[in-house]
Amino acid sequence: YSKEIKDDGLGKTFQCSLCLPGYSQENTYSTKCEPCARGMVSNKFGSTSCVPCGVGEYQPLQAQQSCLACNQSRTTQLRGATSPQDCVCKMDFIEDMDLQCIACREGVLCPLGSTMSKLLNSSGSTEEPRIQLGYSSEPTAPLDTYRCPDW
């Protein structure tokens, strides 16, 4: 970016400088660097653009150099996440009532982002956790599944 360093009455003098990490300059003749938006980062001097955090990462602040990782059993559904709340349970895991991701048990299908609330209120959509055909469970213990006879 171009930074004014002197105005001697004959004209302004500018100095070219590289944007700091966490900032970018998309236009060559810009007079300022723009901070990377939430969910976006730039990790080098002189960046011409910010990049979104990858799947499994988020960044809640502007002008950052790196993204934060979701914990081991969580990931994000898209790139550019801005909050730890964007971290959902990975496929084959389900968020229990204590907000912990636990492994799904036999007879329970758990797509990305499964929660106990979604399981208890499932409409049967393939995007929701559900009890597989040939299994049953009780509403008070939906993860305790039983194989139906003759399946």
Side-chain angles (χ1 to χ4, degrees):
Y1 72 101
S2 298
K3 177 180 173 184
E4 184 177 336
I5 58 169
K6 182 176 165 184
D7 185 351
D8 60 7
L10 299 174
K12 295 180 180 181
T13 303
F14 291 87
Q15 174 185 10
C16 293
S17 298
L18 296 175
C19 293
L20 296 173
Y23 293 80
S24 70
Q25 175 191 349
E26 291 184 21
N27 300 318
T28 303
Y29 302 106
S30 180
T31 58
K32 64 179 181 176
C33 296
E34 296 295 331
C36 294
R38 296 171 55 223
M40 308 279 285
V41 295
S42 131
N43 63 1
K44 61 184 179 184
F45 286 89
S47 291
T48 57
S49 64
C50 299
V51 296
C53 293
V55 172
E57 302 176 321
Y58 65 95
Q59 181 46 260
L61 304 173
Q62 292 186 76
Q64 298 300 303
Q65 300 178 40
S66 62
C67 298
L68 304 170
C70 296
N71 77 26
Q72 185 176 359
S73 59
R74 293 184 180 269
T75 189
T76 57
Q77 295 182 343
L78 301 171
R79 295 173 37 138
T82 60
S83 166
Q85 285 75 30
D86 293 328
C87 296
V88 297
C89 291
K90 293 179 179 179
M91 182 181 290
D92 297 327
F93 287 84
I94 189 165
E95 187 177 89
D96 66 12
M97 297 305 187
D98 295 325
L99 305 180
Q100 300 298 311
C101 293
I102 59 172
C104 282
R105 298 186 185 148
E106 181 183 354
V108 182
L109 293 175
C110 296
L112 180 68
S114 293
T115 65
M116 287 296 285
S117 175
K118 289 179 183 177
L119 177 61
L120 293 170
N121 299 304
S122 178
S123 65
S125 163
T126 58
E127 295 179 13
E128 296 176 329
R130 62 194 182 286
I131 305 299
Q132 285 182 286
L133 287 175
Y135 289 84
S136 67
S137 69
E138 297 292 325
T140 56
L143 294 179
D144 294 337
T145 57
Y146 305 94
R147 185 183 293 270
C148 298
D150 301 326
W151 278 89

